[in-house]
Amino acid sequence: MHLYSMPSSGNSYKVRLLLALLGQSVDMTDVEYGWPALERAKAEGALPFGKAPVLALDDGTLLPESNAILMYLGHGTAFIPASPTAQAQTLGWMFWEQNQHEGVIAVRAALRTYPHRAAQATPERLAQLLDAGHDLLAVMERHLDGRDWLVGNDPTLADICLYAYTHSAGPKGGFDMGRYPAIGAWLDRVAALPGFAPMGAQ
Ligand SMILES: N[C@@H](CCC(=O)N[C@@H](CS)C(=O)NCC(=O)O)C(=O)O
């Protein structure tokens, strides 16, 4: 297997994190914004949707979309719970991450940190994303209050998926994470999992 991964991206980090937790290593090509490797990977057809991450399987199959890659790598492991209900709940959080959380929390972090996004970082846009992001973090906070993990009693792909952009919501996104003690405890719990690798470690 070969992973096309963007070092600065939470979507790529969630795949690298699952690999670390599973004790697996794969060949990797780093495709960062502004690097020739990103344009090369696109030109070679390695990124079917023009985005990273992509997992290239040994038979040539290309798997785009971070959460689809998590499902592939998580197959047969404890990170996908056994019951259909818990599986659906896990997927529910993963869909929510892509259609709500990522488009607000990751986007605010991107506008604040990527030079090529700076022109879009108007005060109005940043303020709108701040309000929307706090509403989303409040959803997680309410759910995690009294729970160790997003689904059931053990970590699942939902936790790995949502860790990626939640752990950087304060430092990169500028969100006031002090408002969210249950999220803070959950972030610590993920970071204490055996094999955990912080962003930037791989
Ligand atoms: N929904 C996709 C989003 C992937 C995505 O947006 N990747 C960005 C980095 S976070 C990218 O590769 N951008 C490269 C480009 O737009 O040229 C996923 O979860 O994998």
Side-chain angles (χ1 to χ4, degrees), residues 144-173:
L144 284 166
D145 189 15
R147 286 187 176 89
D148 284 351
W149 304 106
L150 288 168
V151 178
N153 298 321
D154 295 293
T156 67
L157 294 184
D159 301 289
I160 296 163
C161 164
L162 273 151
Y163 181 85
Y165 286 112
T166 307
H167 90 285
S168 56
K172 286 191 180 173

mmCIF file of all heavy atoms in Angstrom, residues 144-173:
data_model
loop_
_atom_site.group_PDB
_atom_site.id
_atom_site.type_symbol
_atom_site.label_atom_id
_atom_site.label_comp_id
_atom_site.label_asym_id
_atom_site.label_seq_id
_atom_site.Cartn_x
_atom_site.Cartn_y
_atom_site.Cartn_z
ATOM 1 N N LEU A 144 -20.186 14.299 24.676
ATOM 2 C CA LEU A 144 -19.081 13.660 25.413
ATOM 3 C C LEU A 144 -19.197 13.838 26.920
ATOM 4 O O LEU A 144 -18.495 13.157 27.669
ATOM 5 C CB LEU A 144 -17.738 14.221 24.916
ATOM 6 C CG LEU A 144 -17.294 13.684 23.548
ATOM 7 C CD1 LEU A 144 -16.155 14.521 22.986
ATOM 8 C CD2 LEU A 144 -16.884 12.208 23.648
ATOM 9 N N ASP A 145 -20.077 14.735 27.358
ATOM 10 C CA ASP A 145 -20.256 14.943 28.793
ATOM 11 C C ASP A 145 -20.795 13.639 29.399
ATOM 12 O O ASP A 145 -21.898 13.208 29.065
ATOM 13 C CB ASP A 145 -21.241 16.106 29.005
ATOM 14 C CG ASP A 145 -21.296 16.518 30.460
ATOM 15 O OD1 ASP A 145 -20.396 16.124 31.230
ATOM 16 O OD2 ASP A 145 -22.243 17.242 30.830
ATOM 17 N N GLY A 146 -19.999 12.979 30.229
ATOM 18 C CA GLY A 146 -20.434 11.706 30.812
ATOM 19 C C GLY A 146 -20.094 10.489 29.985
ATOM 20 O O GLY A 146 -20.466 9.368 30.344
ATOM 21 N N ARG A 147 -19.421 10.698 28.847
ATOM 22 C CA ARG A 147 -19.001 9.564 28.005
ATOM 23 C C ARG A 147 -17.500 9.631 27.775
ATOM 24 O O ARG A 147 -16.952 10.724 27.647
ATOM 25 C CB ARG A 147 -19.645 9.625 26.619
ATOM 26 C CG ARG A 147 -21.095 9.283 26.529
ATOM 27 C CD ARG A 147 -21.478 9.232 25.027
ATOM 28 N NE ARG A 147 -22.849 8.815 24.858
ATOM 29 C CZ ARG A 147 -23.882 9.670 24.840
ATOM 30 N NH1 ARG A 147 -23.684 10.967 24.967
ATOM 31 N NH2 ARG A 147 -25.116 9.209 24.679
ATOM 32 N N ASP A 148 -16.860 8.467 27.639
ATOM 33 C CA ASP A 148 -15.422 8.456 27.317
ATOM 34 C C ASP A 148 -15.187 8.570 25.814
ATOM 35 O O ASP A 148 -14.186 9.141 25.380
ATOM 36 C CB ASP A 148 -14.776 7.161 27.824
ATOM 37 C CG ASP A 148 -14.555 7.178 29.332
ATOM 38 O OD1 ASP A 148 -14.737 8.254 29.952
ATOM 39 O OD2 ASP A 148 -14.209 6.120 29.895
ATOM 40 N N TRP A 149 -16.067 7.983 25.023
ATOM 41 C CA TRP A 149 -15.864 7.889 23.571
ATOM 42 C C TRP A 149 -17.142 8.278 22.845
ATOM 43 O O TRP A 149 -18.233 8.239 23.425
ATOM 44 C CB TRP A 149 -15.452 6.454 23.184
ATOM 45 C CG TRP A 149 -14.234 5.999 23.937
ATOM 46 C CD1 TRP A 149 -14.194 5.103 24.969
ATOM 47 C CD2 TRP A 149 -12.879 6.454 23.763
ATOM 48 N NE1 TRP A 149 -12.910 4.969 25.436
ATOM 49 C CE2 TRP A 149 -12.083 5.783 24.716
ATOM 50 C CE3 TRP A 149 -12.261 7.359 22.897
ATOM 51 C CZ2 TRP A 149 -10.700 5.997 24.828
ATOM 52 C CZ3 TRP A 149 -10.896 7.563 22.997
ATOM 53 C CH2 TRP A 149 -10.126 6.893 23.947
ATOM 54 N N LEU A 150 -17.022 8.610 21.577
ATOM 55 C CA LEU A 150 -18.189 9.092 20.829
ATOM 56 C C LEU A 150 -19.254 8.010 20.669
ATOM 57 O O LEU A 150 -20.450 8.293 20.699
ATOM 58 C CB LEU A 150 -17.758 9.627 19.458
ATOM 59 C CG LEU A 150 -17.010 10.970 19.516
ATOM 60 C CD1 LEU A 150 -16.358 11.285 18.168
ATOM 61 C CD2 LEU A 150 -17.947 12.104 19.921
ATOM 62 N N VAL A 151 -18.803 6.763 20.483
ATOM 63 C CA VAL A 151 -19.750 5.651 20.285
ATOM 64 C C VAL A 151 -19.372 4.512 21.231
ATOM 65 O O VAL A 151 -18.229 4.029 21.192
ATOM 66 C CB VAL A 151 -19.705 5.131 18.834
ATOM 67 C CG1 VAL A 151 -20.662 3.942 18.663
ATOM 68 C CG2 VAL A 151 -20.044 6.245 17.843
ATOM 69 N N GLY A 152 -20.293 4.108 22.076
ATOM 70 C CA GLY A 152 -20.049 2.957 22.949
ATOM 71 C C GLY A 152 -18.964 3.230 23.976
ATOM 72 O O GLY A 152 -18.687 4.382 24.324
ATOM 73 N N ASN A 153 -18.369 2.135 24.431
ATOM 74 C CA ASN A 153 -17.418 2.239 25.545
ATOM 75 C C ASN A 153 -15.965 2.137 25.126
ATOM 76 O O ASN A 153 -15.079 2.040 25.978
ATOM 77 C CB ASN A 153 -17.707 1.121 26.561
ATOM 78 C CG ASN A 153 -19.104 1.276 27.143
ATOM 79 O OD1 ASN A 153 -19.542 2.401 27.414
ATOM 80 N ND2 ASN A 153 -19.815 0.167 27.302
ATOM 81 N N ASP A 154 -15.721 2.124 23.846
ATOM 82 C CA ASP A 154 -14.341 1.965 23.359
ATOM 83 C C ASP A 154 -14.109 2.914 22.182
ATOM 84 O O ASP A 154 -15.058 3.354 21.530
ATOM 85 C CB ASP A 154 -14.122 0.507 22.878
ATOM 86 C CG ASP A 154 -14.237 -0.470 24.033
ATOM 87 O OD1 ASP A 154 -13.373 -0.433 24.928
ATOM 88 O OD2 ASP A 154 -15.220 -1.242 24.046
ATOM 89 N N PRO A 155 -12.837 3.210 21.894
ATOM 90 C CA PRO A 155 -12.562 4.103 20.761
ATOM 91 C C PRO A 155 -12.941 3.454 19.430
ATOM 92 O O PRO A 155 -12.738 2.260 19.238
ATOM 93 C CB PRO A 155 -11.041 4.337 20.850
ATOM 94 C CG PRO A 155 -10.503 3.225 21.688
ATOM 95 C CD PRO A 155 -11.611 2.776 22.586
ATOM 96 N N THR A 156 -13.512 4.261 18.559
ATOM 97 C CA THR A 156 -13.877 3.793 17.218
ATOM 98 C C THR A 156 -13.289 4.759 16.186
ATOM 99 O O THR A 156 -12.676 5.773 16.529
ATOM 100 C CB THR A 156 -15.410 3.775 17.026
ATOM 101 O OG1 THR A 156 -15.874 5.141 17.054
ATOM 102 C CG2 THR A 156 -16.112 2.947 18.087
ATOM 103 N N LEU A 157 -13.546 4.446 14.919
ATOM 104 C CA LEU A 157 -13.108 5.339 13.840
ATOM 105 C C LEU A 157 -13.674 6.745 14.028
ATOM 106 O O LEU A 157 -13.065 7.723 13.589
ATOM 107 C CB LEU A 157 -13.566 4.801 12.481
ATOM 108 C CG LEU A 157 -12.961 3.479 12.008
ATOM 109 C CD1 LEU A 157 -13.454 3.168 10.593
ATOM 110 C CD2 LEU A 157 -11.431 3.495 12.051
ATOM 111 N N ALA A 158 -14.822 6.864 14.677
ATOM 112 C CA ALA A 158 -15.421 8.193 14.885
ATOM 113 C C ALA A 158 -14.479 9.069 15.708
ATOM 114 O O ALA A 158 -14.306 10.263 15.422
ATOM 115 C CB ALA A 158 -16.770 8.053 15.587
ATOM 116 N N ASP A 159 -13.859 8.492 16.735
ATOM 117 C CA ASP A 159 -12.944 9.267 17.576
ATOM 118 C C ASP A 159 -11.694 9.668 16.796
ATOM 119 O O ASP A 159 -11.228 10.810 16.907
ATOM 120 C CB ASP A 159 -12.555 8.439 18.811
ATOM 121 C CG ASP A 159 -13.770 8.058 19.637
ATOM 122 O OD1 ASP A 159 -14.351 8.938 20.282
ATOM 123 O OD2 ASP A 159 -14.157 6.875 19.596
ATOM 124 N N ILE A 160 -11.170 8.749 16.006
ATOM 125 C CA ILE A 160 -9.954 9.046 15.241
ATOM 126 C C ILE A 160 -10.249 10.132 14.208
ATOM 127 O O ILE A 160 -9.504 11.090 14.044
ATOM 128 C CB ILE A 160 -9.434 7.758 14.575
ATOM 129 C CG1 ILE A 160 -9.023 6.772 15.660
ATOM 130 C CG2 ILE A 160 -8.276 8.051 13.622
ATOM 131 C CD1 ILE A 160 -8.885 5.353 15.190
ATOM 132 N N CYS A 161 -11.381 9.959 13.533
ATOM 133 C CA CYS A 161 -11.798 10.916 12.514
ATOM 134 C C CYS A 161 -11.946 12.319 13.122
ATOM 135 O O CYS A 161 -11.391 13.302 12.610
ATOM 136 C CB CYS A 161 -13.121 10.408 11.932
ATOM 137 S SG CYS A 161 -14.057 11.594 11.014
ATOM 138 N N LEU A 162 -12.668 12.423 14.222
ATOM 139 C CA LEU A 162 -12.946 13.763 14.776
ATOM 140 C C LEU A 162 -11.785 14.341 15.567
ATOM 141 O O LEU A 162 -11.705 15.563 15.764
ATOM 142 C CB LEU A 162 -14.231 13.732 15.604
ATOM 143 C CG LEU A 162 -15.422 13.977 14.670
ATOM 144 C CD1 LEU A 162 -16.683 13.310 15.155
ATOM 145 C CD2 LEU A 162 -15.651 15.475 14.467
ATOM 146 N N TYR A 163 -10.866 13.484 15.993
ATOM 147 C CA TYR A 163 -9.680 14.009 16.692
ATOM 148 C C TYR A 163 -8.896 14.945 15.768
ATOM 149 O O TYR A 163 -8.362 15.974 16.215
ATOM 150 C CB TYR A 163 -8.785 12.845 17.148
ATOM 151 C CG TYR A 163 -7.557 13.313 17.896
ATOM 152 C CD1 TYR A 163 -7.614 13.579 19.263
ATOM 153 C CD2 TYR A 163 -6.344 13.516 17.235
ATOM 154 C CE1 TYR A 163 -6.498 14.034 19.954
ATOM 155 C CE2 TYR A 163 -5.232 13.977 17.925
ATOM 156 C CZ TYR A 163 -5.308 14.229 19.277
ATOM 157 O OH TYR A 163 -4.201 14.689 19.950
ATOM 158 N N ALA A 164 -8.827 14.580 14.478
ATOM 159 C CA ALA A 164 -7.896 15.251 13.561
ATOM 160 C C ALA A 164 -8.040 16.770 13.579
ATOM 161 O O ALA A 164 -7.064 17.488 13.781
ATOM 162 C CB ALA A 164 -8.081 14.693 12.155
ATOM 163 N N TYR A 165 -9.257 17.269 13.337
ATOM 164 C CA TYR A 165 -9.417 18.723 13.285
ATOM 165 C C TYR A 165 -9.869 19.321 14.616
ATOM 166 O O TYR A 165 -9.824 20.540 14.770
ATOM 167 C CB TYR A 165 -10.386 19.121 12.166
ATOM 168 C CG TYR A 165 -9.780 18.995 10.788
ATOM 169 C CD1 TYR A 165 -10.226 18.035 9.890
ATOM 170 C CD2 TYR A 165 -8.744 19.834 10.391
ATOM 171 C CE1 TYR A 165 -9.659 17.917 8.628
ATOM 172 C CE2 TYR A 165 -8.166 19.722 9.141
ATOM 173 C CZ TYR A 165 -8.633 18.759 8.265
ATOM 174 O OH TYR A 165 -8.066 18.647 7.021
ATOM 175 N N THR A 166 -10.287 18.475 15.576
ATOM 176 C CA THR A 166 -10.682 19.038 16.871
ATOM 177 C C THR A 166 -9.451 19.367 17.709
ATOM 178 O O THR A 166 -9.432 20.372 18.420
ATOM 179 C CB THR A 166 -11.614 18.060 17.623
ATOM 180 O OG1 THR A 166 -12.704 17.702 16.765
ATOM 181 C CG2 THR A 166 -12.185 18.697 18.878
ATOM 182 N N HIS A 167 -8.405 18.544 17.603
ATOM 183 C CA HIS A 167 -7.248 18.788 18.475
ATOM 184 C C HIS A 167 -6.518 20.074 18.088
ATOM 185 O O HIS A 167 -5.834 20.673 18.897
ATOM 186 C CB HIS A 167 -6.274 17.591 18.464
ATOM 187 C CG HIS A 167 -5.212 17.651 17.424
ATOM 188 N ND1 HIS A 167 -5.433 17.403 16.088
ATOM 189 C CD2 HIS A 167 -3.899 17.965 17.529
ATOM 190 C CE1 HIS A 167 -4.307 17.550 15.425
ATOM 191 N NE2 HIS A 167 -3.349 17.891 16.271
ATOM 192 N N SER A 168 -6.712 20.505 16.831
ATOM 193 C CA SER A 168 -6.031 21.734 16.397
ATOM 194 C C SER A 168 -6.995 22.930 16.328
ATOM 195 O O SER A 168 -6.619 24.003 15.867
ATOM 196 C CB SER A 168 -5.383 21.504 15.029
ATOM 197 O OG SER A 168 -6.349 21.070 14.102
ATOM 198 N N ALA A 169 -8.230 22.715 16.795
ATOM 199 C CA ALA A 169 -9.228 23.801 16.701
ATOM 200 C C ALA A 169 -8.810 25.014 17.522
ATOM 201 O O ALA A 169 -9.071 26.158 17.123
ATOM 202 C CB ALA A 169 -10.598 23.288 17.158
ATOM 203 N N GLY A 170 -8.146 24.793 18.661
ATOM 204 C CA GLY A 170 -7.676 25.918 19.468
ATOM 205 C C GLY A 170 -6.473 26.588 18.835
ATOM 206 O O GLY A 170 -6.542 27.747 18.389
ATOM 207 N N PRO A 171 -5.342 25.869 18.747
ATOM 208 C CA PRO A 171 -4.125 26.521 18.260
ATOM 209 C C PRO A 171 -4.227 27.036 16.819
ATOM 210 O O PRO A 171 -3.746 28.128 16.524
ATOM 211 C CB PRO A 171 -3.038 25.433 18.380
ATOM 212 C CG PRO A 171 -3.744 24.159 18.689
ATOM 213 C CD PRO A 171 -5.094 24.500 19.242
ATOM 214 N N LYS A 172 -4.821 26.268 15.913
ATOM 215 C CA LYS A 172 -4.858 26.715 14.506
ATOM 216 C C LYS A 172 -6.133 27.491 14.191
ATOM 217 O O LYS A 172 -6.117 28.458 13.440
ATOM 218 C CB LYS A 172 -4.747 25.513 13.561
ATOM 219 C CG LYS A 172 -3.364 24.910 13.476
ATOM 220 C CD LYS A 172 -3.323 23.930 12.315
ATOM 221 C CE LYS A 172 -1.972 23.278 12.176
ATOM 222 N NZ LYS A 172 -1.976 22.219 11.152
ATOM 223 N N GLY A 173 -7.246 27.014 14.759
ATOM 224 C CA GLY A 173 -8.528 27.615 14.392
ATOM 225 C C GLY A 173 -8.908 28.830 15.222
ATOM 226 O O GLY A 173 -9.790 29.593 14.845
#
